[in-house]
Amino acid sequence: MAFETELLDCSPESIEKAAELIKHGEVVGMPTETVYGLAANAYDNEAVAKIFKAKGRPADNPLIVHISGLSQLGGIVSEIPQLALSCAKAFWSGPLTMILPKHPDIPYITSGGLDTVGVRMPSHPAAKALIEKSGVPLAAPSANLSGSPSPTTAAHVMADMRSRIPAVIDGGECEAGVESTVIAFGQNSIRILRPGRITREMLLTVCPDVEIDSGVLHEVDNSRPVASPGMKYKHYSPAADVIIVSGSAEQFLYYVKNNLTDDTLCLIFDESDLGDLDIPHILLGHSGEQQAHNLFAALRDADKLGAKTVFARCPERTGVGLAVYNRLIRAAGFKVVEL
Ligand code: AMP
Ligand code: MG
């Protein structure tokens, strides 16, 4: 079915309209503080199937269930360890997803066939209001076509989802710009399956044992089961060929000058990174937070500007920078030039 996709604002009337669509088993584009999500009733098999269809998402890639209050947790997970409660207290509402044993009422289509489910409480007021008005937890993956960069504005969602879903709520630019941190629990430990705005350093304030899964920094072996199924798919990719150039600003500039073509664009931290070289570029900013905020829009803009090759400066692998690096290596198909 082709929809005339409606762009809604965040007024109570618009949220009410979006909630009615959710109650009728439809899918709505929803702003969150991380990226835009494609939301549907997490308990409704058919509604969740529409999310997978709209995105072209592989069925074994699980969705995150979004809640607006802790009282909803009991109907989503079958067990809540003390450490999960401590994390909820410290970081919810906010960009942290916890993987916990699934409640039998959550359908396997939502959990990608797994006996665990990812759950988080978003802080964006429009997301909160939509969950509350819908009266159900909302399953919501990022609102991009599978494989393309995650959307951080309503215009990005429209570009990918126009005519595929009935409505998108425009909540402005997403603050974080990268998807939530995904964590799983050991006995008294935390494993980061996907880095995000809630950093390892922040999690260490709640638990002294925080490990980073090997899939965060390296390509996963597609023939083996992976802790975080999203990690195994080609991801976040613009049409342009992305190459990460790791080294100082001087080394970056030297590399770019020697490998430049007519269709090259650079993702840089600062104007000075390109010296006197006058070529198309997009600024990511200096801090991990700025880079996270700008990254996905930059990848989409690179395509719009007709770039065939994108040379990107390499983000720090600490703090929020780790999330930026994790997304960028996937956009680059793991092509990193170490200088
Ligand atoms: P997205 O909604 O696009 O941010 O993708 C959600 C990601 O969260 C998935 O691709 C997985 O990597 C991760 N995730 C969600 N649920 C689970 C789960 N039960 N176990 C492991 N990882 C999960
Ligand atoms: Mg996604």
Side-chain angles (χ1 to χ4, degrees):
M1 173 169 166
F3 292 98
E4 182 97 28
T5 308
E6 189 176 1
L7 195 57
L8 299 171
D9 59 21
C10 289
S11 66
E13 298 72 35
S14 294
I15 299 289
E16 191 69 56
K17 200 169 183 178
E20 280 306 310
L21 286 167
I22 299 273
K23 287 180 195 168
H24 285 90
E26 285 303 335
V27 175
V28 171
M30 161 179 89
T32 82
E33 70 278 20
T34 58
V35 301
Y36 275 74
L38 272 190
N41 178 354
Y43 291 119
D44 181 340
N45 272 283
E46 282 170 34
V48 173
K50 290 179 187 173
I51 297 179
F52 280 89
K53 185 159 180 251
K55 275 183 72 80
R57 183 171 174 107
D60 67 347
N61 195 357
L63 309 183
I64 292 168
V65 177
H66 293 69
I67 60 175
S68 56
L70 278 179
S71 61
Q72 289 165 312
L73 204 50
I76 296 166
V77 306
S78 61
E79 203 187 305
I80 311 172
Q82 191 54 45
L83 191 49
L85 282 178
S86 304
C87 286
K89 192 158 174 251
F91 303 113
W92 278 0
S93 53
L96 181 73
T97 296
M98 302 196 232
I99 308 298
L100 293 166
K102 182 181 90 57
H103 189 284
D105 288 353
I106 290 289
Y108 278 108
I109 187 170
T110 299
S111 70
L114 299 171
D115 287 317
T116 54
V117 62
V119 60
R120 94 170 181 98
M121 191 190 292
S123 64
H124 195 294
K128 277 180 157 169
L130 182 62
I131 301 166
E132 266 160 31
K133 284 283 168 208
S134 303
V136 285
L138 300 180
S142 51
N144 51 292
L145 288 172
S146 210
S148 68
S150 296
T152 57
T153 66
H156 295 162
V157 183
M158 276 298 201
D160 282 17
M161 291 297 148
R162 191 185 294 278
S163 81
R164 290 170 178 260
I165 60 173
V168 177
I169 301 169
D170 187 349
E173 267 184 38
C174 298
E175 194 195 331
V178 288
E179 305 84 346
S180 58
T181 305
V182 177
I183 59 170
F185 298 98
Q187 197 62 324
N188 255 313
S189 62
I190 292 176
R191 174 181 289 265
I192 298 179
L193 304 183
R194 179 175 74 182
R197 186 73 178 262
I198 304 295
T199 61
R200 174 166 190 268
E201 294 79 355
M202 291 160 80
L203 291 165
L204 282 169
T205 63
V206 176
C207 171
D209 186 357
V210 183
E211 234 187 306
I212 295 176
D213 192 82
S214 64
V216 166
L217 289 173
H218 305 106
E219 197 163 5
V220 298
D221 177 354
N222 273 343
S223 63
R224 307 242 306 264
V226 292
S228 181
M231 291 292 190
K232 70 183 178 187
Y233 294 107
K234 184 172 151 65
H235 234 123
Y236 317 122
S237 301
D241 206 17
V242 179
I243 296 163
I244 303 173
V245 182
S246 175
S248 66
E250 292 73 27
Q251 288 171 315
F252 177 81
L253 184 54
Y254 182 81
Y255 180 88
V256 171
K257 280 183 174 163
N258 283 288
N259 293 277
L260 197 57
T261 67
D262 284 347
D263 306 309
T264 298
L265 178 142
C266 290
L267 297 187
I268 55 177
F269 300 155
D270 188 283
E271 289 287 356
S272 66
D273 290 351
L274 285 176
D276 54 9
L277 197 59
D278 185 18
I279 60 167
H281 57 274
I282 300 172
L283 293 182
L284 292 180
H286 278 286
S287 68
E289 285 80 2
Q290 289 170 325
Q291 292 164 8
H293 180 83
N294 293 325
L295 178 69
F296 286 135
L299 292 174
R300 283 178 181 259
D301 287 346
D303 277 349
K304 271 200 223 144
L305 292 166
K308 295 273 188 304
T309 309
V310 172
F311 293 133
R313 285 213 60 194
C314 187
E316 297 276 351
R317 288 160 227 191
T318 54
V320 182
L322 183 67
V324 182
Y325 182 75
N326 169 269
R327 306 310 191 271
L328 201 51
I329 46 173
R330 282 168 171 78
F334 296 89
K335 289 188 291 295
V336 183
V337 178
E338 298 277 355
L339 298 177

Coordinates of all heavy atoms in Angstrom, one line a residue, residues 35-36 55 57 61 141-151 179 194 230 235-236, ligand 2:
V35 N 18.3 8.9 17.2 CA 18.0 9.1 15.8 C 16.5 9.0 15.6 O 15.8 8.6 16.6 CB 18.7 8.1 14.9 CG1 20.3 8.2 15.0 CG2 18.3 6.7 15.1
Y36 N 15.9 9.2 14.5 CA 14.5 9.0 14.3 C 14.2 7.5 14.2 O 15.0 6.7 13.7 CB 14.0 9.6 13.0 CG 13.6 11.1 13.2 CD1 14.6 12.0 13.3 CD2 12.3 11.5 13.2 CE1 14.3 13.4 13.5 CE2 12.0 12.8 13.4 CZ 13.0 13.8 13.5 OH 12.6 15.1 13.7
K55 N 11.3 -0.9 6.0 CA 12.8 -0.7 6.0 C 13.5 -1.6 5.1 O 14.7 -1.3 4.7 CB 13.3 -1.0 7.4 CG 13.3 0.1 8.4 CD 13.9 -0.3 9.7 CE 15.4 -0.4 9.7 NZ 16.2 0.8 9.8
R57 N 14.2 -4.6 6.2 CA 15.2 -5.1 7.3 C 15.2 -6.6 7.4 O 14.1 -7.2 7.4 CB 14.7 -4.5 8.6 CG 15.6 -4.8 9.8 CD 15.2 -4.0 11.0 NE 15.8 -4.2 12.3 CZ 16.7 -3.4 12.8 NH1 17.1 -2.3 12.2 NH2 17.1 -3.6 14.1
N61 N 17.2 -9.3 12.5 CA 17.8 -8.1 13.2 C 16.8 -7.5 14.1 O 15.8 -6.9 13.7 CB 18.2 -7.1 12.1 CG 19.1 -6.0 12.6 OD1 19.4 -6.0 13.8 ND2 19.6 -5.1 11.8
P141 N 13.0 0.5 15.3 CA 14.4 0.6 14.8 C 14.6 2.0 14.2 O 13.7 2.8 14.1 CB 14.4 -0.5 13.7 CG 13.0 -0.4 13.1 CD 12.1 0.0 14.3
S142 N 15.9 2.3 13.8 CA 16.1 3.5 13.1 C 15.3 3.6 11.8 O 15.0 2.6 11.2 CB 17.6 3.7 12.8 OG 18.0 2.5 12.1
A143 N 14.8 4.9 11.5 CA 13.8 5.0 10.4 C 14.4 5.2 9.0 O 13.8 5.9 8.2 CB 12.9 6.2 10.8
N144 N 15.6 4.6 8.8 CA 16.2 4.6 7.5 C 15.8 3.3 6.7 O 15.4 2.4 7.3 CB 17.7 4.7 7.6 CG 18.2 3.6 8.5 OD1 17.9 3.7 9.7 ND2 18.9 2.7 8.0
L145 N 16.0 3.4 5.4 CA 16.0 2.1 4.6 C 17.2 1.3 5.1 O 18.3 1.9 5.4 CB 16.1 2.4 3.1 CG 14.9 3.0 2.4 CD1 15.3 3.4 1.0 CD2 13.7 2.0 2.4
S146 N 17.0 0.0 5.2 CA 18.1 -0.9 5.8 C 19.4 -0.6 5.0 O 19.4 -0.6 3.8 CB 17.6 -2.3 5.6 OG 18.2 -3.1 6.6
G147 N 20.4 -0.4 5.7 CA 21.7 -0.2 5.1 C 22.2 1.2 4.9 O 23.3 1.5 4.9
S148 N 21.2 2.1 4.8 CA 21.6 3.5 4.6 C 21.8 4.3 5.9 O 21.4 3.8 7.0 CB 20.6 4.2 3.7 OG 19.4 4.3 4.4
P149 N 22.4 5.5 5.9 CA 22.7 6.1 7.1 C 21.4 6.4 8.0 O 20.3 6.7 7.4 CB 23.3 7.5 6.7 CG 23.9 7.2 5.3 CD 22.9 6.2 4.7
S150 N 21.5 6.3 9.3 CA 20.3 6.6 10.1 C 19.9 8.0 10.0 O 20.7 8.9 9.8 CB 20.7 6.3 11.6 OG 21.0 4.9 11.7
P151 N 18.6 8.3 10.1 CA 18.0 9.6 9.9 C 18.1 10.5 11.2 O 17.7 10.0 12.3 CB 16.6 9.4 9.5 CG 16.2 8.0 10.1 CD 17.5 7.3 10.3
E179 N 22.8 6.1 17.3 CA 21.8 5.3 18.0 C 22.3 5.0 19.4 O 23.5 5.2 19.7 CB 21.6 3.9 17.2 CG 21.3 4.1 15.8 CD 22.4 4.3 14.9 OE1 23.5 4.6 15.4 OE2 22.3 4.1 13.7
R194 N 27.0 -2.2 21.4 CA 27.0 -1.1 20.4 C 27.3 0.2 21.2 O 26.5 0.5 22.1 CB 25.7 -1.0 19.7 CG 25.7 0.2 18.7 CD 24.4 0.2 17.9 NE 23.2 0.6 18.7 CZ 22.0 0.7 18.2 NH1 21.7 0.4 16.9 NH2 21.0 1.2 18.9
G230 N 22.7 -6.5 14.7 CA 22.8 -5.4 13.8 C 24.2 -5.2 13.3 O 24.5 -4.6 12.2
H235 N 26.1 -1.3 6.8 CA 25.3 -0.3 7.6 C 25.8 1.1 7.3 O 26.9 1.3 6.9 CB 25.7 -0.6 9.1 CG 24.5 -0.8 9.9 ND1 24.3 -1.9 10.7 CD2 23.4 -0.1 10.1 CE1 23.2 -1.9 11.3 NE2 22.6 -0.7 11.0
Y236 N 24.8 2.0 7.5 CA 25.2 3.4 7.5 C 25.8 3.9 6.2 O 26.5 4.9 6.2 CB 26.1 3.7 8.7 CG 25.7 3.0 10.0 CD1 26.6 2.2 10.6 CD2 24.5 3.2 10.5 CE1 26.3 1.6 11.8 CE2 24.1 2.6 11.7 CZ 25.1 1.8 12.4 OH 24.7 1.1 13.5
Ligands
MG2 MG 19.5 1.0 12.4

